[in-house]
Amino acid sequence: MIQGLKVVFCTYFKNIEKFRYKSETYGEYVAFCLMKGSFRYSIGDGEERISAAPDAVICPPKTAFKRETAEPCELCMIKFTCTEPFELSSPFSFDVARFIYNMEKLKDCVFCSDNLTETHRHFCNDTVYMLCEESTRVSVVDCAISYINENCTKNLSISELAAASGFSETHFINLFKKQTGDTPKNYLIKARLRLTKQMLCSSDKSIGEIAEDCGFSDEYYFSRLFKKYEGQTPSAFRRQNGG
């Protein structure tokens, strides 16, 4: 959860055909909440991306934000501060219906700072909390992916990975699948299979030994999975690839 959130500015632009400035650096976090159109952007030295409605981009403080419209844009710009910095990940995955509802409530907010009404402040806060909450969840999945890749030969438990993330097993699996398109179990199997393919090409070990080294419980189970995912047996793969 974002700590000490304070919204300091909000404005809603109904038609941006061209950004006034191609690059700006802000003293606060800035959320660009896109309702219509699209724009290309990069943050700091990051790669260029495109944001297409409905979408959101958050730029951290003191970091150049470069942008150029691809299509005329309708967007809400929310500046905010917080007491503790946090990691941002993108793209965001958020509740679109809630996002659109909040934006509808902010359409009449034009260059609001000290004059932010309680209603505007509420919907600004809710939007930022939603985006930052989803950003944190995505980074949790990134950590799980890295851990699986580095420890795939071990006896990993999906329930333990979920507990480490701070979410229930069901919720963790849903978040993981939303970001990767795969379940944690399938991702783990594929990570192990990548390693077995390397060993089949470079090692003189038997298929049973390779299976055991890569975290599979027995050779028959490994061979069945290998054929399911790779379309051929481990022996055929080894012969074809000179192992």
Side-chain angles (χ1 to χ4, degrees):
M1 177 66 72
I2 184 171
Q3 300 295 318
L5 170 66
K6 182 181 179 182
V7 172
V8 297
F9 176 83
C10 176
T11 190
Y12 198 99
F13 298 100
K14 295 187 177 179
N15 185 32
I16 301 176
E17 294 187 355
K18 183 179 180 181
F19 287 107
R20 180 176 296 181
Y21 303 107
K22 288 188 176 181
S23 178
E24 282 192 273
T25 302
Y26 305 96
E28 310 87 1
Y29 289 95
V30 185
F32 295 88
C33 304
L34 187 62
M35 283 287 282
K36 292 181 183 178
S38 60
F39 65 90
R40 289 179 289 274
Y41 73 94
S42 62
I43 299 174
D45 296 325
E47 64 182 20
E48 185 178 272
R49 298 185 177 186
I50 189 160
S51 176
D55 194 17
V57 178
I58 295 183
C59 181
K62 301 177 183 177
T63 306
F65 183 71
K66 307 177 188 70
R67 64 282 178 99
E68 181 181 1
T69 55
E71 302 172 277
C73 297
E74 181 176 319
L75 64 81
C76 183
M77 177 181 178
I78 303 172
K79 293 183 180 181
F80 64 96
T81 60
C82 53
T83 54
E84 294 183 15
F86 60 95
E87 284 191 18
L88 291 169
S89 300
S90 63
F92 292 110
S93 176
F94 52 80
D95 184 335
V96 174
R98 177 179 164 192
F99 176 78
I100 291 174
Y101 180 80
N102 286 358
M103 293 302 102
E104 291 292 334
K105 295 295 183 179
L106 292 169
K107 276 191 172 181
D108 62 344
C109 186
V110 180
F111 297 104
C112 301
S113 51
D114 295 336
N115 58 333
L116 265 171
T117 67
E118 286 304 310
T119 300
H120 289 151
R121 192 176 299 279
H122 167 77
F123 288 106
C124 284
N125 285 347
D126 187 64
T127 300
V128 172
Y129 275 126
M130 176 179 66
L131 296 176
C132 294
E133 181 181 59
E134 291 300 331
S135 176
T136 301
R137 291 177 182 179
V138 170
S139 67
V140 163
V141 174
D142 287 336
C143 289
I145 288 171
S146 296
Y147 189 82
I148 290 171
N149 287 336
E150 292 170 8
N151 299 276
C152 65
T153 60
K154 298 178 182 177
N155 184 22
L156 297 182
S157 162
I158 304 304
S159 60
E160 289 175 359
L161 286 172
S165 75
F167 297 109
S168 70
E169 185 170 350
T170 299
H171 194 52
F172 172 72
I173 291 171
N174 288 339
L175 288 173
F176 196 100
K177 191 170 183 179
K178 180 181 279 190
Q179 182 175 339
T180 66
D182 223 339
T183 64
K185 181 180 179 180
N186 277 343
Y187 190 92
L188 173 59
I189 289 171
K190 290 175 182 178
R192 287 173 173 170
L193 289 176
R194 285 195 297 271
L195 187 57
T196 64
K197 287 193 292 184
Q198 294 173 13
M199 293 185 69
L200 285 168
C201 295
S202 61
S203 170
D204 293 330
K205 288 186 175 182
S206 70
I207 290 173
E209 289 173 322
I210 290 173
E212 185 177 355
D213 287 348
C214 294
F216 291 102
S217 55
D218 64 73
E219 184 177 347
Y220 174 75
Y221 174 69
F222 161 65
S223 296
R224 186 159 52 87
L225 281 176
F226 194 98
K227 188 171 183 180
K228 175 183 175 182
Y229 284 88
E230 302 299 329
Q232 60 184 329
T233 65
S235 298
F237 178 87
R238 174 174 258 178
R239 286 194 301 271
Q240 183 177 318
N241 292 275

